[in-house]
Amino acid sequence: MLVSARPGRMARLVPPILLLLAMPACSHSDAFSPHDTTISGPLTAGDPVRLTYNPQADLEPAWLPDGTAVIYAFGVTDLRQGDQCLGVMAAAGGTLLRQICNSGTFAADTTDLYSWPAVADDGRLAYFRSSYRVGGSSGGGRLAIAPLTAPDSITIVTTFPRSTAAAFYLQPAYVHWLDAGRLVFLGLVDTPIQPFGVGNLLVRNGHDALIADLATAPAVLSTVPGTAYATSVATAAGNPDLIYYTLAGDSRILARQLSAGAVTTVHDFGAARIVRDVSWAGGRFAAIVDGLVQVYQDTGHPIQNDQAGRLFVVDGASGTEAELTLANTLFRHPTVAPDGASVVVEGYPLTITPIFNSAGGVIGYDTTIVAPSDIYRFTAP
């Protein structure tokens, strides 16, 4: 298997030598400190606002439909158990409004991982949950829906791993409500690559966008044509016939009309750029571009391995791009507020270290993510 580094991609960050970090995190009733339950607003002012101060990772933020709060996944400080729960926080930041974890009788004996939350207009929560014995390994999980007010009263949409004619999917990602009766998400697979010509490295990557029809239980899954090796998928609020998506090694945000199958390019970041993690709301797109990302070739198909990148917001009407920045930070998984006025995103702190040759000259830079992610809120330009 040959490695293909896309020409011209993010020459400012070469070559990345990445510190791979596990992504469990912290069971606390407070978004900032488990010892301080009096905080009612963000700790810092300005823009962006850092919403979380978890010593573990905070991940996959999504807005509630009315824009008043954000739901996200966070890890638990009990590293032995390694749980990952869901938290609901006011959009302004502060103390968690709700904490959603496994409260079952045998919860202490299991590692429970909740991820990819999405809340519908009618208050139903869709999320992925997996459980396994402490010290074991996950054998799969369930894509489930439940009232946000009773998240353990679940209806199973489908279980994972899930095999279809297209692929053997290990889990979902980028879960969204298309309408009251359908979910759309990205199906993830593991692909072995040989980045140095020997040995295999498993990369968990997107394979297809899938639609789950909730009329039956388990749901009937259908593959969205043309989304092979997609790297993200998003919905167009108010239009259940339209999705946005990105493809491995590609510079475009694409739109697909589901009923007619028509595909259009809604924005192109330009040659030799790599875009992923698309989100749309309120007339604006948000996406991650370039950064710490590698593209490999697997029997002629691009396989993308992401770490983090640069955060851009695009005006849907004019196509104007604006980069949102924070010193020594790269980003993943932005989501635009329903009114388009702000963006919440995972922020990853990094260090950039010069690489010297034998003569003492700088020949490149080593960019390393040095800590788990926290959630930030930016005002959209």
Side-chain angles (χ1 to χ4, degrees):
M1 186 174 306
L2 299 178
V3 179
S4 171
R6 182 165 179 168
R9 84 178 149 76
M10 197 64 170
R12 294 173 295 284
L13 302 177
V14 292
I17 301 174
L18 303 178
L19 175 62
L20 300 180
L21 298 172
M23 299 197 350
C26 141
S27 176
H28 50 76
S29 59
D30 184 320
F32 303 115
S33 166
H35 305 295
D36 185 350
T37 58
T38 63
I39 298 170
S40 59
L43 284 183
T44 60
D47 194 11
V49 173
R50 182 176 174 180
L51 297 179
T52 65
Y53 286 75
N54 190 347
Q56 306 299 323
D58 296 314
L59 305 163
E60 302 148 6
W63 290 88
L64 269 59
D66 62 4
T68 60
V70 174
I71 186 168
Y72 65 98
F74 67 89
V76 193
T77 49
D78 181 352
L79 296 182
R80 173 185 172 273
Q81 192 165 335
D83 285 351
Q84 184 170 286
C85 300
L86 303 180
V88 180
M89 179 190 295
T95 305
L96 282 180
L97 304 175
R98 292 205 57 194
Q99 178 173 299
I100 301 169
C101 297
N102 184 0
S103 57
T105 304
F106 302 104
D109 295 331
T110 63
T111 295
D112 299 288
L113 303 177
Y114 291 7
S115 61
W116 295 109
V119 179
D121 291 340
D122 62 7
R124 285 179 297 164
L125 168 67
Y127 67 111
F128 182 62
R129 54 186 290 168
S130 62
S131 300
Y132 52 92
R133 296 286 293 182
V134 172
S137 59
S138 176
R142 298 167 288 176
L143 179 60
I145 56 175
L148 181 59
T149 55
D152 285 326
S153 300
I154 66 171
T155 298
I156 298 174
V157 175
T158 187
T159 58
F160 287 86
R162 175 73 185 264
S163 181
T164 72
F168 182 72
Y169 301 106
L170 296 174
Q171 68 178 82
Y174 303 93
V175 176
H176 300 281
W177 290 89
L178 266 176
D179 51 35
R182 295 180 300 167
L183 296 173
V184 64
F185 57 89
L186 195 64
L188 302 185
V189 301
D190 277 352
T191 303
I193 61 169
Q194 295 179 320
F196 305 106
V198 295
N200 282 338
L201 170 69
L202 280 180
V203 174
R204 183 153 295 186
N205 61 285
H207 195 282
D208 306 280
L210 301 169
I211 293 175
D213 186 341
L214 306 182
T216 62
V220 174
L221 299 187
S222 57
T223 302
V224 179
T227 61
Y229 302 98
T231 54
S232 64
V233 64
T235 53
N239 186 350
D241 193 40
L242 189 67
I243 62 169
Y244 300 107
Y245 61 101
T246 56
L247 298 175
D250 203 287
S251 61
R252 299 167 298 166
I253 299 173
L254 301 171
R256 185 179 184 92
Q257 186 181 9
L258 296 173
S259 58
V263 176
T264 57
T265 298
V266 294
H267 189 75
D268 193 335
F269 284 91
R273 309 295 296 277
I274 299 178
V275 60
R276 64 273 193 202
D277 291 354
V278 64
S279 172
W280 184 91
R284 288 186 170 97
F285 292 97
I288 302 301
V289 182
D290 298 334
L292 298 178
V293 56
Q294 300 83 34
V295 178
Y296 307 95
Q297 293 297 320
D298 173 45
T299 61
H301 300 294
I303 303 300
Q304 189 164 300
N305 187 22
D306 287 330
Q307 299 298 321
R310 299 162 60 192
L311 173 61
F312 283 83
V313 170
V314 179
D315 181 84
S318 66
T320 302
E321 299 174 9
E323 184 174 4
L324 304 180
T325 62
L326 179 64
N328 298 317
T329 306
L330 291 177
F331 303 97
R332 285 220 72 183
H333 304 131
T335 180
V336 184
D339 63 2
S342 57
V343 177
V344 291
V345 65
E346 301 168 8
Y348 292 82
L350 57 87
T351 60
I352 301 175
T353 306
I355 299 173
F356 298 94
N357 60 20
S358 58
V362 176
I363 58 174
Y365 295 89
D366 169 41
T367 301
T368 304
I369 293 172
V370 293
S373 57
D374 280 291
I375 305 296
Y376 293 81
R377 189 189 74 246
F378 285 85
T379 301

